[in-house]
Amino acid sequence: MDQHLISTVNRLQDAFATLGPTTNPIDLPQITVVGSQSSGKSSVLENIVGRDFLPRGTGIVTRRPLVLQLINRPKGKANGTTSESSEGEEWGEFLHLPGQKIYDFGKIREEIVRETESKTGKNAGISANPINLRIFSPNVLTLTLVDLPGLTKVPVGDQPKDIERQIREMVLKYITKPNAIILAVTAANTDLANSDGLKLAREVDPEGTRTIGVLTKVDLMDQGTDVVDILAGRVIPLRLGYVPVINRGQRDIEQGKAISSALEHERDFFENHPSYRAKAQYCGTPFLARKLNMILMHHIKATLPDIKQRIQSTLSKYQAELGQLGDNTLGTPSNVILNVITDFCNEYRTILDGNSQELSSLELSGGARISFVFHELYSNGVKSVDPFDQVKDVDIRTILYNSSGSSPALFVGTTAFEVIVKQQIKRFEDPSLKCVTLVYDELVRILSQVVQQKSIFKRYPVLKERLLSVVIQFFKQSLIPTNKLVQDLVSMESAYINTGHPDFLSGHRAMAIVGERMQASKPVQVDPKTGKPLPTAQKDPMSPVTIGGVAGGVAGGDENGGFFNSFFATKNKKKMAMMEAPPAVLKASGVLSERETAETEVIKLLISSYFNIVKRTMIDMVPKAIMLNLVSFSKDEMQRELLEKLYKSDVLEDLLKESDFTVSRRKEVQKMVDSLQTASEIVAGVN
C-alpha cells in the first residue's frame, strides 16, 4: 500500500506533465535534487538506480529538469513473463515516447541528450520544461526524484551571461513549493558553510524541516578529518539529517567501473572506517534510497488529504471558467445577440436603480454617484455663485444713472435691478451644463462596469466594441436635447424677473432694512458737560423719495458729494464757466454720498433676495431636466436603440467572432480540466 502511494503521485505527475512546469495547479510531493555542478548529483542518482544513464561531460550537463520515477518491479514480471536476463528486467520509458520501452541504458542517455537539445539547442542554454523518465527495475526502491541543473557562478564558453540567475530562478520554482523535499548534495571535502545547495535550501526552508543533506566524496577528505560533527547535527542541523555516500571518481567512470563494484567499495569503506563503522548501517547509497523512500511515503501520506481537496477545488474553479468561456456555440447568432442585449439593458437599469445584488460597502456606485453629482457637486456649485464678486457698488451706481436716461430719476427704478439680475442669472448656465457632462460621465462609467462584469464580452470583442460604440453614441445624441432643456431653464429665469414671487423681499422692506443699518452706524454725539447724548435731527437718508428716490441727490446736486460733484470737484469756476465737453469715457468716481450709498444697498438687497430664489429653482429643476432627457430616457430607450443597430442579419456573424484569447484560453482551460479530472479519478481510489 505504501509503494502504491508513490505510484499514485507518479501518475498525478504524468497527468499534469502536459501542462508544463509553470502551469501545474497542484503542488505534488516530490524530492528535488539541488547542488553545485561539482557536488556529484548525477553520480548519486546513478548509484540509487544502479545503472549509468545520465549524460556526462564538462560544464552544465543537466540543462532541463529530469523527473525521474523509479518503480520497483519484482523479478520475473517483465513483459508479463518470467525472465532471468537482467536486460529484460530493467528498462526505461519516456513520457514523450509513449509505449516505447528502452532496455539499453546507453540509449536512454542519448535520448535525454536529444530531447534536451530539442528545447535548448546545442549551446549551454537551459529550459524549465521537464523530461519525464520512468525506470522499472527490481533493483530500485519506488521513488520519485527531480534532478535540476547544477548551480554555477561563472558562465563558461558559450553559456548565457546570466546563467547563474536562470538556474537559480528555476531551482527556486521547484524548491519553494511547500510539498517539495529538498535533497541538498554537497561535497564533503569542501566547507559546508559554502554549500550552494544548502544555502539555497535554507532560503526557502530556514528551519530545515524538509531538507535532507547528502555528503559526497567522503573518501576524498584529508586524513584525520571526517563528517561526524555534521552527521550529528552540530554544524548545520537538518530535521531529516545527513547521509554520507561515496561515488565513483572520474577515473573509475572512464575505466568503466561497474556501479555494483562501486557500491561494494562504498560499503567496505564505511564498515572499516574508524569514524563511521559504528554507524555504517546509516551510511551509503542503499540507506539513502531507503531513507528517501520512507520520507517520501510519509510525506505523501501527510499531504494526500490536502491534495485531494485542492484537486477538487481547482477543478471546480476551472470548470466554472470553462462554463464562462462557453462552448463553441451558445445557440443561433440571433438568439445570442438578443440575449446579450436584454441582459445588458437589465443590468444597466439595475445598477442605476441601486437594485444590484452586488452592492458595494466600500464606495458609491451607479445611481448613487449621480445623486452625489446632483445634491453635492451641482448644489454646492450653484450656491457658490456670488453676484457681487463681479458687480461692485460703483457698477451698480453707474447702471442706476444709465437706466435713468436723460432725466434724473425720482425713484430707484426696476430697470437697473433687472439688468443686473439678468446678467448674473446667465452665470448659472456653465455649472448647469457641467452637471450634464458629469452625469454623462457617470453613465459611461456604468456602461464600462456592466461590460467588465459580463464575461461574454471577453469572448466576443467585436460585439463588445460595437455595443460600446452604439451606447456611447446614443448617450451623445441624448446630450443635445438635455443641454437645450437646461439652457432653456436658464433663459426662462432671465426672461422674466418675477418680483411678485412670495419669497422676494419687497422694496419697502429693503428700504427699511437699509435705513436701520445706516442709522445704527452713525456715531452718537455726547454733551461734554453732562455726558448725555445730544439730540440730533432725525433725517432719513431716503426721506425725499417714496421708494428710494434719487431726486435730491441727482437732480439737486448733493452738497455732500456724489457722482457729478466728484466730476467737478477738481475744476475751478473759470473752467466750469467754459463748459468743456465731457471726456470720451465718463466713469463714476469719488466717494458715494449718503443717499447714493443707501440706494446702492437697497439694490444689493433686492438682487441677493431674487438671486437666492433663482438658485433654489435651478438646484431643483436642472436635475429633473437631466433625469428626464438623459438618465430616464436612456433606461427606457436604450434597448430599442441596440436592437435597431445590432439586431441585423447581415452583421450577426461578424459580431459573434470570438477573440483569439478566448479560443486559446478555452483550449488551455479544457486541457487543465482534463488533467484535473484524471487526477481526481487517480486519487479517488486512495484512502
Side-chain angles (χ1 to χ4, degrees), residues 32-49 53-56 59-66 68 145-152 167 171 183-187 196-197 214-217 245 247-248 285 288:
T32 306
V33 186
V34 297
S36 62
Q37 283 185 32
S38 58
S39 61
K41 287 191 304 92
S42 297
S43 296
V44 170
L45 295 179
E46 287 185 333
N47 283 1
I48 291 175
V49 175
F53 69 98
L54 293 175
R56 292 191 175 276
I60 303 175
V61 179
T62 304
R63 293 189 284 138
R64 288 175 60 182
L66 176 66
L68 181 61
L145 301 149
V146 181
D147 186 23
L148 296 173
L151 299 167
T152 184
I167 295 176
V171 171
L183 186 66
V185 180
T186 304
D196 294 331
V214 176
L215 302 173
T216 62
K217 305 180 183 181
V245 299
N247 299 329
R248 292 176 298 168
T285 303
L288 174 63

Side-chain angles (χ1 to χ4, degrees), residues 326-498:
D327 300 327
N328 292 333
T329 58
L330 293 175
T332 62
S334 57
N335 285 342
V336 173
I337 296 296
L338 186 60
N339 290 336
V340 169
I341 291 175
T342 302
D343 290 346
F344 171 80
C345 292
N346 288 339
E347 185 68 19
Y348 174 78
R349 296 189 193 100
T350 297
I351 293 177
L352 265 180
D353 295 338
N355 296 326
S356 175
Q357 298 298 317
E358 300 178 0
L359 292 176
S360 172
S361 61
L362 303 177
E363 61 177 353
L364 295 181
S365 62
R369 292 180 63 92
I370 294 176
S371 176
F372 179 81
V373 170
F374 287 154
H375 301 114
E376 294 294 332
L377 300 183
Y378 179 66
S379 177
N380 291 333
V382 169
K383 290 175 182 176
S384 67
V385 177
D386 182 4
F388 303 116
D389 58 6
Q390 292 186 356
V391 180
K392 306 303 180 185
D393 289 1
V394 66
D395 301 320
I396 296 174
R397 194 67 213 155
T398 301
I399 291 175
L400 281 172
Y401 273 100
N402 285 336
S403 65
S404 300
S406 58
S407 300
L410 295 175
F411 307 102
V412 179
T414 60
T415 303
F417 162 73
E418 289 191 359
V419 167
I420 297 173
V421 168
K422 287 181 178 181
Q423 288 177 350
Q424 296 305 305
I425 288 176
K426 288 294 184 182
R427 296 175 61 189
F428 290 127
E429 185 169 302
D430 286 342
S432 299
L433 293 177
K434 177 67 174 177
C435 183
V436 176
T437 302
L438 291 174
V439 173
Y440 165 82
D441 291 341
E442 291 304 323
L443 294 181
V444 173
R445 177 193 287 268
I446 294 173
L447 167 64
S448 301
Q449 179 182 343
V450 176
V451 169
Q452 291 297 325
Q453 289 176 349
K454 298 292 183 182
S455 60
I456 196 167
F457 290 116
K458 295 179 181 178
R459 181 175 179 183
Y460 300 121
V462 178
L463 175 60
K464 172 185 174 182
E465 295 303 321
R466 185 75 180 110
L467 182 138
L468 285 172
S469 174
V470 170
V471 174
I472 289 177
Q473 187 60 35
F474 173 71
F475 286 158
K476 289 181 178 178
Q477 290 174 349
S478 303
L479 278 179
I480 298 173
T482 306
N483 285 335
K484 178 67 167 58
L485 181 55
V486 168
Q487 289 172 324
D488 286 347
L489 285 174
V490 178
S491 299
M492 286 163 50
E493 290 297 328
S494 63
Y496 177 64
I497 306 302
N498 181 18

Side-chain angles (χ1 to χ4, degrees), residues 506-565:
S506 68
H508 290 288
R509 178 62 183 148
M511 287 166 27
I513 293 172
V514 170
E516 291 172 1
R517 289 177 182 173
M518 296 185 70
Q519 190 65 35
S521 63
K522 288 183 179 180
V524 178
Q525 294 182 351
V526 180
D527 187 337
K529 293 181 179 180
T530 63
K532 297 180 179 180
L534 294 174
T536 57
Q538 298 296 322
K539 181 182 178 182
D540 187 349
M542 312 297 291
S543 58
V545 293
T546 307
I547 343 174
V550 293
V554 175
D558 195 337
E559 293 181 358
N560 294 327
F563 178 65
F564 293 137
N565 282 352

Side-chain angles (χ1 to χ4, degrees), residues 341 344-345 348-349 470-471 474-475 477-478 628-645:
I341 291 175
F344 171 80
C345 292
Y348 174 78
R349 296 189 193 100
V470 170
V471 174
F474 173 71
F475 286 158
Q477 290 174 349
S478 303
L628 174 68
N629 277 6
L630 184 58
V631 180
S632 296
F633 182 76
S634 68
K635 286 168 58 178
D636 298 336
E637 299 296 326
M638 183 186 293
Q639 188 163 357
R640 178 195 59 77
E641 182 76 8
L642 287 171
L643 289 172
E644 183 179 315
K645 293 294 195 315

Side-chain angles (χ1 to χ4, degrees), residues 568-609:
F568 293 113
T570 58
K571 298 183 180 293
N572 55 36
K573 290 184 178 180
K574 185 176 181 181
K575 288 186 177 182
M576 291 169 62
M578 293 175 62
M579 294 181 59
E580 294 179 355
V585 177
L586 185 59
K587 294 183 178 181
S589 60
V591 179
L592 298 181
S593 66
E594 183 179 350
R595 182 180 300 281
E596 289 172 334
T597 299
E599 293 163 355
T600 301
E601 291 300 320
V602 168
I603 292 292
K604 289 173 68 175
L605 268 179
L606 297 177
I607 291 173
S608 294
S609 175

Side-chain angles (χ1 to χ4, degrees), residues 269-316:
F269 175 84
F270 287 117
E271 287 181 350
N272 297 310
H273 194 285
S275 298
Y276 309 115
R277 59 190 174 197
K279 298 287 186 179
Q281 68 270 32
Y282 302 116
C283 302
T285 303
F287 172 73
L288 174 63
R290 291 194 302 272
K291 186 179 180 79
L292 293 177
N293 176 262
M294 293 301 296
I295 289 173
L296 186 57
M297 283 193 297
H298 286 302
H299 191 49
I300 292 172
K301 281 184 180 179
T303 58
L304 195 57
D306 180 61
I307 290 174
K308 286 183 177 181
Q309 187 274 328
R310 290 182 61 188
I311 288 175
Q312 291 304 319
S313 62
T314 308
L315 177 59
S316 299

